[in-house]
Amino acid sequence: KTGLRRGIPMAAATTSGARGWVAASTWADTATPTERAVTATNPNRGNGLQMRDRFSPGAEVVVRYITRLGSTVGMTWPFRVVRDDDDLLALWLPRGSLGRLWRNSPGQARELVEGEWRRDTLRLMYPGKPYSVWLFWEGEPRRFTTYYVNFEEPFRRTPVGFDTNDHTLDMV
């Protein structure tokens, strides 16, 4: 099974590949000793990686949303790196990619379930900034449809990609 239907393995969205999605427990509970040595055990409080630690264009990474309560991994999506430098992190998420998203069912606790991304998306993230800009393409033939500004915590680098958290308010 792939995280991105266009070739990125599901393992790119995990902390160590074969253990599956990191979604139900904290980073500290699921990280290997090596991962703990490389990163902080609390994903909300830095991770020991330096800004010079970059991903190459074409690298497979995961963006994880870390919950405010309990510091658990929430929504998780696999991306392909387009650009990663001092000024910009550009990530590509094609339509049909599989990730983890929250499902709210009446009368039940919120849970993470597998979901499919609906639009081709270029996500532009700026180091230290509390937002990212998303560009969407839809249809066949593909056509650009929307700019979207997502207000979120500034991203933090991890061995598998990037952690952030949504601030709920967005601008279309």
Side-chain angles (χ1 to χ4, degrees), residues 10 21-23 74-78 98-102 112-115:
M10 187 65 83
W21 287 99
V22 177
M75 288 191 309
T76 307
W77 294 98
L98 300 177
R100 303 290 284 174
L101 55 94
W102 290 113
L112 282 167
V113 298
E114 186 174 84

Side-chain angles (χ1 to χ4, degrees), residues 5-23:
R5 286 192 179 171
R6 298 182 188 161
I8 295 179
M10 187 65 83
T14 69
T15 58
S16 69
R19 288 187 284 151
W21 287 99
V22 177

